[in-house]
Amino acid sequence: MKNLRAATDTFLELVLIYALLLVIAAALLARFEGLDFTTGLYWAATTATSTGYGDISPKTGAGQIVAVSLMHISIFLIAPMIVVRLIDRLNENRDAFTHEEQLHILEALGRIESRLDRLEQGQ
């Protein structure tokens, strides 16, 4: 699960995965149903969003398998990942220190400690 999260860390990566899914589904449907690629892409986009106008529907068994796979992958895998990423961004702790801020604090603490050590030695 950690690898999946890392692979889909940005919204752009999710969009690319989704676009790749549409292209693969479109190519497969076009091949199995004897359609041109643009028609397959139109079908894939409407099917993946669960709009599915019904003007194009697979007739072959292989095309139907592509359709069912696309529907389930887009609804049960892609959509939840997008929602989780959006929620994750909204829940981001904006008060957390950045790495650079942490380094700056550590350096300042180091300077304070060395001044305290010098003061203690001087007494």
Side-chain angles (χ1 to χ4, degrees), residues 14-56:
L14 283 171
V15 169
L16 292 174
I17 290 169
Y18 180 65
L20 182 64
L21 175 66
L22 292 180
V23 167
I24 290 170
L28 289 173
L29 188 83
R31 184 174 191 283
F32 295 142
E33 300 292 321
L35 303 171
D36 62 286
F37 178 76
T38 54
T39 303
L41 191 57
Y42 163 77
W43 168 85
T46 58
T47 301
T49 59
S50 72
T51 303
Y53 295 115
D55 53 345
I56 302 168

Side-chain angles (χ1 to χ4, degrees), residues 6-123:
T8 60
D9 197 33
T10 67
F11 190 69
L12 176 61
E13 290 166 340
L14 283 171
V15 169
L16 292 174
I17 290 169
Y18 180 65
L20 182 64
L21 175 66
L22 292 180
V23 167
I24 290 170
L28 289 173
L29 188 83
R31 184 174 191 283
F32 295 142
E33 300 292 321
L35 303 171
D36 62 286
F37 178 76
T38 54
T39 303
L41 191 57
Y42 163 77
W43 168 85
T46 58
T47 301
T49 59
S50 72
T51 303
Y53 295 115
D55 53 345
I56 302 168
S57 59
K59 308 291 185 258
T60 66
Q64 291 168 349
I65 290 171
V66 170
V68 169
S69 299
L70 175 62
M71 289 178 227
H72 284 81
I73 290 170
S74 62
I75 292 172
F76 296 117
L77 187 66
I78 302 294
M81 285 193 306
I82 291 171
V83 170
V84 166
R85 287 291 167 253
L86 292 175
I87 290 171
D88 192 39
R89 296 293 182 243
L90 292 174
N91 287 334
E92 186 177 297
N93 186 355
R94 299 190 194 296
D95 295 328
F97 291 111
T98 65
H99 179 69
E100 291 77 21
E101 291 171 325
Q102 290 176 18
L103 289 177
H104 178 70
I105 291 168
L106 289 173
E107 289 170 3
L109 285 173
R111 287 192 305 272
I112 291 169
E113 285 175 344
S114 50
R115 285 182 185 168
L116 285 173
D117 286 344
R118 281 184 273 151
L119 283 173
E120 287 175 357
Q121 290 172 2
Q123 291 178 345

